[in-house]
Amino acid sequence: MADKAVPDIVVGRLPIYLRALTYLKADNREITSSQELGDRLGISSAQIRKDLSHFGEFGKQGTGYDIAHLERNLKAILHVDRMWDVVLVGAGDLGHALAAYRGFAGRGFRIAAVFDKDPAKIGKPIGNDLVIEDVATLADRVREQGWQIAIIAVPADQAQLVANTLVQAGIRAILNYAPITLMCPSGVRVEQIDPAAHLQHLTYYLG
Amino acid sequence: MADKAVPDIVVGRLPIYLRALTYLKADNREITSSQELGDRLGISSAQIRKDLSHFGEFGKQGTGYDIAHLERNLKAILHVDRMWDVVLVGAGDLGHALAAYRGFAGRGFRIAAVFDKDPAKIGKPIGNDLVIEDVATLADRVREQGWQIAIIAVPADQAQLVANTLVQAGIRAILNYAPITLMCPSGVRVEQIDPAAHLQHLTYYLG
DNA sequence: ACGAATTTGTCAATAGTTGCACAAATCGCA
DNA sequence: TGCGATTTGTGCAACTATTGACAAATTCGT
C-alpha cells in the first residue's frame, strides 16, 4: 500500500521511529519488531505497522523488521538520506545553543549560516566554524545559496518580519522558536517550538 | 458545559490561545472574537469556541470575548495563575539558554535551580541569580523543596537515568529536550522537544 | 518434516476530532 | 424603538485516527 496522501500526524511519528531505530542499531541490534518499537515508544504495535504500511512493506512475517533496512527506508521517505543546509536567524543564547548543537549532523542537518541584527555580534564566531552575519544580507544570501530550511530564534516581535523576509527569499520550511504564531503562505510549512506552552500543557494536569 | 474529561489535544491548544490573548492585551485591545483569534492562529473559529466551551461560557453573543477576562480564566484553567518552580537538569549550551530565557516569567514559570554532573561547572553562576549545583544532590533537593516540574537538558544517554531520579524524588511533570523517548510511570507526564525530529517532519514535504 | 510460536499487513470496528449551520443573545444605529 | 449585523454555544454530520483481530508467512526446535 504505497502513498496516496499520508496523514500529517503519521509523518510526524516517522522521525520518532527513525530515532529509535538508530539507537537500536548503535546497540548492535539487527532485527526488531513493531511490538518492541511500540514498547519503547509508548505506542501500540498496530499503529506502528499501520503507519509504516503507508509507505510500503518493510517487515517480514514471523521475524520483524531489519533495523538497517527500515532505517534506510525511513531516511529516504523523510528525505534525510542527504544533508540539508539550515539557516539560523538569531544569535542570542538559543541561537548559540542551536549553532553548537551536535545532534543535527547525524540526522541530516547542518547549520549553514547564522544571522543577527546586533552590530556587536556581527563578525563574531559562533558554533564550530561559523561567523555571525548581518541579517540585512539575509535575503540575498538565502537566494544565492538556495537554502530552503530556516530556524527562527529571534524575539517574538521580530519573528514575523524575519519570516516574511525568509519566505520572500525562497525558504520553504521554518522551525520557529519565537512564541508567536507565524502567518506564512501555503507552500511554506512551519513547525513551532514553545517551551512555556509545553510547560503550561503540563501544569494543566498538576492540580 | 463544564468538565467531564477534556481531550488532551484541546488542553494543548489552550496555551496557544492564552499566548494570543496576552499579545492582544499588550496591544491595548479589550475585546476579541473567535473569528479574530482563529485568523491569527490559523484555526477555525468553531474549533476555538468548542474548545473553550469545555470549560464554561466565556463569551458574549454579538460581542465576543473580553480579553482580560478570558485570559484570567485560561490562566486559572492551566494553573498558571501562580508561579511554578521548575528544576533544570543539564547546564550545557541548552541549559544555559533555558536558564537565561526571559520568556518563562510572564507565563508562570521560574527556573528554581540548575544541576549538572560536571565538576568544572558545579558552583559556577548561571542565568541571572543561580549557581550550578551537583546532580548528586538532585533527589534530596527535589524532595526538600517539593518541586514538581523538571526540564531535562542532558545528553540522550543520561536522560532516562535523570528521569528516574526525578520521578523517584516526586517530580510529576517533565519537559524533555533529550532526543529519546522517556519511560515514566503513569502519573508522571512527559512532553518532548526534539528539534531534529521537527526538521525531519518538515523535510518530508520538501521534495 | 511438522507443529508451535512469532509477527506482519490489513480489514473492519471503535473512538475521537473537526466543521457546518443555526437558534439565541447582543449591539449599533437610524 | 426596531432592524440588520454580529457572534456565541452547540447539536449533528462528516471526517480522521486508533485499536482489535486474523489470515498468511516465516522461524525454530524436535
Side-chain angles (χ1 to χ4, degrees), chain A residues 14-93:
Chain A
L14 300 184
I16 308 306
Y17 300 164
L18 177 54
R19 204 175 65 183
L21 289 168
T22 303
Y23 286 120
L24 284 168
K25 204 177 67 172
D27 239 356
N28 290 310
R29 295 282 311 283
E30 298 198 340
I31 302 289
T32 186
S33 65
S34 59
Q35 182 69 61
E36 181 184 40
L37 279 173
D39 289 349
R40 289 198 173 215
L41 300 177
I43 288 177
S44 80
S45 64
Q47 179 155 85
I48 291 176
R49 293 199 300 278
K50 180 140 217 189
D51 285 353
L52 296 177
S53 78
H54 282 99
F55 302 95
E57 307 198 352
F58 304 108
K60 207 166 165 189
Q61 286 168 331
T63 308
Y65 299 93
D66 181 281
I67 291 170
H69 176 249
L70 182 54
E71 188 193 32
R72 229 175 306 115
N73 276 277
L74 283 179
K75 282 185 177 173
I77 291 165
L78 291 168
H79 305 121
V80 288
D81 51 352
R82 50 163 286 189
M83 259 321 204
W84 290 92
D85 277 355
V86 176
V87 52
L88 170 59
V89 188
D93 287 318

Side-chain angles (χ1 to χ4, degrees), chain B residues 134-157:
Chain B
D134 188 339
V135 78
T137 66
L138 176 60
D140 287 346
R141 293 276 282 129
V142 168
R143 260 187 284 261
E144 157 200 318
Q145 297 293 319
W147 291 321
Q148 297 185 72
I149 309 175
I151 299 179
I152 295 183
V154 302
D157 59 359

Side-chain angles (χ1 to χ4, degrees), chain B residues 93-156:
Chain B
D93 288 316
L94 176 59
H96 276 83
L98 288 166
Y101 183 48
R102 292 313 222 279
F104 285 135
R107 299 172 74 188
F109 304 98
R110 184 178 84 91
I111 302 293
V114 185
F115 294 83
D116 201 289
K117 73 169 198 179
D118 180 354
K121 288 178 180 162
I122 295 163
K124 290 264 171 24
I126 186 170
N128 298 297
D129 47 5
L130 294 172
V131 168
I132 299 170
E133 302 181 44
D134 188 339
V135 78
T137 66
L138 176 60
D140 287 346
R141 293 276 282 129
V142 168
R143 260 187 284 261
E144 157 200 318
Q145 297 293 319
W147 291 321
Q148 297 185 72
I149 309 175
I151 299 179
I152 295 183
V154 302

Side-chain angles (χ1 to χ4, degrees), chain B residues 7 9 13 44 46-47 49-51 60-63:
Chain B
I9 194 165
R13 280 190 293 261
S44 80
Q47 178 156 84
R49 293 199 300 279
K50 177 94 96 181
D51 284 353
K60 209 167 164 187
Q61 286 167 329
T63 307

